[in-house]
Amino acid sequence: MENKKNIIQELDISQLPYLQAVIKETFRLHPPAPFLVPHQAIRDVEIQGFMVPKNAQILCNVWAMGRDPKVWSFPETFMPERFLEVKIDYKGQDFELIPFGAGRRMCPGLNISHRMLHIMLGTLIQNFEWKLEGNMRAQDIDMGEKFGLTLQRNIPLKAIPLRLK
Ligand code: HEM
């Protein structure tokens, strides 16, 4: 940490590649907006041989894109390390990972979300030891999801902070 109090700050984010990788991997497997936001075609358009007719509603299934075995090795496995080896980011340039969308209607909250997520998660990990309710093992957590405009866990996560580190 750059500061004496060991409190994670915005300028530390670039020095924490594994934290960045964990957040990317979470966006890959559990995008908060699994179909982005619906768009509508304003005219007939052909994309790679597919005709999209005028007025068609377009949903972009980023949940499925994040699990596409043609793009990701071991797609169902939570493996942040994969992002240490490649330069894929979620800022709208790498189309295999677009949890905030891409193009001119992409999420304007990206920058603040990027900062907040790293600072909040980093602070929670840095300051507390954690355990799961009933001494459950991490590998036994039910990661099932409820689909909707936003993606939610089937069973809410109950993580218990044990003590200050
Ligand atoms: C993890 C956090 C967030 C995620 C994953 C997220 C994701 C998205 C997605 C997928 C879209 C639709 C993009 C598209 O149409 O292709 C969107 C739009 C939008 N987001 Fe976010 N968002 C997040 C946080 C925020 C925050 C913190 C704000 C405000 C401070 C915000 C404000 C907006 C607005 C205003 C739009 C509509 C933009 C438009 O239609 O032109 N978002 N967001």
Side-chain angles (χ1 to χ4, degrees):
M1 302 300 110
E2 295 275 334
N3 62 89
K4 291 195 183 102
K5 288 187 184 160
N6 271 359
I7 297 169
I8 179 170
Q9 290 183 341
E10 191 179 324
L11 46 80
D12 298 315
I13 297 173
S14 62
Q15 308 301 320
L16 297 167
Y18 198 77
L19 181 64
Q20 292 175 36
V22 165
I23 286 175
K24 287 179 187 173
E25 183 69 337
T26 307
F27 275 140
R28 181 185 73 81
L29 278 172
H30 311 287
F35 297 103
L36 300 183
V37 166
H39 289 263
Q40 195 174 37
I42 54 172
R43 57 174 177 273
D44 288 351
V45 57
E46 196 190 314
I47 302 173
Q48 293 191 339
F50 292 96
M51 174 53 79
V52 181
K54 182 178 174 182
N55 293 332
Q57 193 182 60
I58 318 295
L59 293 172
C60 183
N61 190 344
V62 288
W63 185 90
M65 286 161 62
R67 290 160 191 257
D68 184 348
K70 288 192 235 103
V71 177
W72 309 99
S73 54
F74 307 102
E76 300 291 332
T77 309
F78 186 83
M79 220 164 69
E81 295 75 16
R82 70 175 82 239
F83 286 107
L84 300 177
E85 291 150 22
V86 291
K87 275 206 157 111
I88 296 177
D89 210 339
Y90 46 73
K91 299 195 173 165
Q93 303 300 314
D94 304 313
F95 293 119
E96 55 276 71
L97 188 69
I98 50 168
F100 292 91
R104 54 185 168 173
R105 296 303 295 272
M106 81 178 288
C107 178
L110 188 155
N111 282 326
I112 186 150
S113 305
H114 172 80
R115 289 168 172 79
M116 293 304 293
L117 284 168
H118 287 82
I119 291 172
M120 287 193 295
L121 183 61
T123 304
L124 291 174
I125 295 169
Q126 190 190 19
N127 289 291
F128 295 98
E129 299 281 359
W130 294 90
K131 74 164 193 160
L132 293 167
E133 202 179 40
N135 283 328
M136 188 195 285
R137 296 178 313 163
Q139 57 268 43
D140 296 333
I141 299 180
D142 182 342
M143 293 300 289
E145 294 156 323
K146 272 194 286 210
F147 277 83
L149 200 56
T150 57
L151 195 62
Q152 293 174 34
R153 299 176 59 86
N154 252 340
I155 302 173
L157 175 68
K158 287 193 185 150
I160 302 164
L162 282 183
R163 61 180 168 78
L164 279 172
K165 276 185 182 168

